[in-house]
Amino acid sequence: MDLNLSGRVAVVTGASKGIGLAVTRTLLAEGARVVATSRKPSQELDELAGPDLVHFPADLMDPEAPAALIAHAVEVFGGLDILVNNAGGPPPGVTLPRGSFMDATDEQWRMMFELNLFSVVRAIRAAIPAMLARGGGSIVNVSSGNARQPSPINVDYGAAKAGVNNLTKVLAGEYGPQGLRVNTVSPGPVRTPLWTEEGGVADLIAAQAGIDRESVLSSVVPEMMKLATGRLADPQEVADAVVLLASPRSGSTTGADLAVDSGFLKEV
């Protein structure tokens, strides 16, 4: 299926690995031009180098960084059609999962919201004028199943992502008449470096359970989280949903939240 993305300009945050890397790779394959941002590049992102890819190094917790990112995309490629707010998760120095609500300090709450909500707000604020100048566009915010399924071990993260979902609904209503669509994709557990790398979530659970990392990923987490598919999602599966929502082929979809979560969410 042709997603009609050839020549369109996209910004992807958190693009150096995991879901963001998969989104960047997929957009390029569909003919889009991409400004990919992360604190630093990665070997996998460098392997995608070409005339249609620009890396913009930035720490999106810096209040000035999101606007600078959008301005750079407009300067390099002449405009903006797609914004994928993927950067998120625990900020530097913060480890998830927690033991309980009481384990998160005020400063950790602030940092979590800076990365997972406020950076999204700032990027969207900067992107809207550029998108409206081209007649509209698509914003896809990568949220989380924890936005709708509260968890005491991820309480600050879930609260920030719930804010992203609320923001998305508001923006979809306000800007839909001007041709700007805004949606969320909510992953469950995904085989990204957050889970799989040394010292990641799987290692933390493995240390508590006295088992190995692969057992955590292949059986313990799917059973613990009651994943209907029996496995963690692949980053590409999330990226496919993101890029479809970014595409004009989803022209009547706005204000939606698409779960790509292996059946994690059970409520109607």
Side-chain angles (χ1 to χ4, degrees), residues 56-250:
F56 185 82
D59 178 358
L60 295 179
M61 294 176 69
D62 174 356
E64 306 299 322
L69 165 64
I70 299 302
H72 189 70
V74 172
E75 178 183 356
V76 171
F77 288 130
L80 182 65
D81 304 294
I82 297 163
L83 170 62
V84 179
N85 285 305
N86 168 73
V94 175
T95 300
L96 293 179
R98 302 189 184 283
S100 80
F101 162 76
M102 297 298 289
D103 290 343
T105 66
D106 280 3
E107 178 62 13
Q108 289 172 330
W109 272 86
R110 186 195 67 77
M111 292 172 64
M112 192 68 74
F113 270 65
E114 283 287 350
L115 178 58
N116 288 280
L117 178 59
F118 297 150
S119 71
V120 174
V121 170
R122 292 167 183 142
I124 292 174
R125 185 187 292 133
I128 284 175
M131 289 183 163
L132 294 182
R134 288 163 74 96
S138 176
I139 298 171
V140 183
N141 298 318
V142 178
S143 183
S144 168
N146 283 136
R148 288 194 280 153
Q149 181 61 57
S151 168
I153 64 175
N154 294 320
V155 59
D156 46 346
Y157 174 72
K161 290 299 191 180
V164 170
N165 286 22
N166 189 288
L167 172 68
T168 297
K169 291 284 189 182
V170 170
L171 294 171
E174 180 173 356
Y175 290 99
Q178 300 177 64
L180 179 58
R181 298 182 300 107
V182 192
N183 295 285
T184 55
V185 171
S186 291
V190 182
R191 274 187 174 261
T192 64
L194 174 67
W195 281 85
T196 61
E197 67 186 5
E198 186 175 351
V201 177
D203 277 357
L204 293 176
I205 297 173
Q208 294 170 357
I211 57 177
D212 63 278
R213 179 193 305 167
E214 188 54 38
S215 295
V216 169
L217 293 168
S218 62
S219 60
V220 173
V221 170
E223 292 173 8
M224 178 177 63
M225 299 184 72
K226 297 182 172 65
L227 302 183
T229 64
R231 64 175 179 85
L232 278 68
D234 185 87
Q236 187 62 52
E237 295 171 319
V238 183
D240 289 342
V242 169
V243 174
L244 179 60
L245 285 174
S247 163
R249 299 297 292 264
S250 297

